[in-house]
Amino acid sequence: MTLLDTIDGCFMNLAYGWAFAKPVRKVYYNLVVTTLSVAVALLIGTVELVSILTDRLGIRRGPLAAIGGADLNQAGFLIVGLFVLVWVVALAVWRLAQVEQRWERPRLRIPEPTADS
């Protein structure tokens, strides 16, 4: 756990530095992190809810029983994989779609004075 926390801290330090360098990066980073957080919350919430339902209704077989019996400690590995996958996809979209170039403010060009002026 200490190793993963250290890796996470290093990664987050790098991500925050990158994200806060330019406003468009900050918006993109916030969208990705918020979407990922919602997905993880829905995943864990669904497993917990199905677990309670299967226990209360006495469901012992089938897909609901499999979801309800899922070990949340093992789900942590799935969540880490989800984080890695989302960041790889987000980085690919950022680079291939050239998000920064599309949303960055154009710089004002001031014409050079000419000899006629």
Side-chain angles (χ1 to χ4, degrees):
M1 182 166 165
T2 304
L3 176 62
L4 284 179
D5 282 345
T6 302
I7 291 169
D8 179 56
C10 292
F11 174 73
M12 293 312 295
N13 187 30
L14 180 72
Y16 288 145
W18 176 84
F20 292 113
K22 294 185 178 182
V24 69
R25 290 181 181 183
K26 186 176 178 182
V27 170
Y28 185 77
Y29 175 83
N30 287 335
L31 285 171
V32 170
V33 168
T34 301
T35 303
L36 185 57
S37 298
V38 168
V40 169
L42 286 173
L43 175 72
I44 297 300
T46 300
V47 170
E48 286 291 329
L49 182 62
V50 170
S51 174
I52 292 169
L53 286 174
T54 56
D55 186 45
R56 298 286 174 143
L57 298 175
I59 299 172
R60 302 285 178 241
R61 295 186 324 208
L64 287 179
I67 294 170
D71 182 15
L72 288 182
N73 292 326
Q74 297 297 321
F77 293 114
L78 177 67
I79 292 169
V80 169
L82 184 63
F83 269 79
V84 171
L85 177 67
V86 166
W87 280 111
V88 166
V89 170
L91 182 60
V93 168
W94 178 263
R95 298 225 174 166
L96 296 175
Q98 299 179 345
V99 174
E100 191 167 6
Q101 290 79 8
R102 289 182 179 197
W103 290 96
E104 199 171 55
R105 282 188 188 167
R107 295 181 186 217
L108 291 177
R109 294 187 57 185
I110 300 173
E112 296 286 329
T114 61
D116 296 339
S117 305

